[in-house]
Amino acid sequence: ACRRSNSCPRPTQQPGLVLGDNLDPAESRAYTRSLTALGGDAATVFLPDAGQHGNGHTMALEKNNEAIADVIQKWIDGHAK
């Protein structure tokens, strides 16, 4: 963990993914748009838009958890350096 504020990575210095299903994605999309406007690499993935429906807060425990992991991995592959 970074202890001094000048040694901590800023939100725009690393890619960020907001992933969700059970809540309206409008706030998450607004957040990732603001990070992108500041020069960051951020995205919101609303799982129903990615073809994954009916998930709750604990996505790792859902019956389709491997499909959700695939969505995450695809995003990481395209954004992580």
Side-chain angles (χ1 to χ4, degrees), residues 29-80:
R29 288 179 175 150
Y31 174 71
T32 55
R33 271 194 308 273
S34 66
L35 288 177
T36 301
L38 292 170
D41 178 12
T44 295
V45 173
F46 187 53
L47 288 171
D49 293 345
Q52 302 302 319
H53 300 273
N55 299 291
H57 183 71
T58 53
M59 290 177 264
L61 302 177
E62 302 290 351
K63 291 181 181 180
N64 63 340
N65 62 2
E66 290 184 13
I68 295 169
D70 290 342
V71 171
I72 296 168
Q73 187 63 55
K74 181 179 177 183
W75 189 88
I76 290 171
D77 291 345
H79 297 267

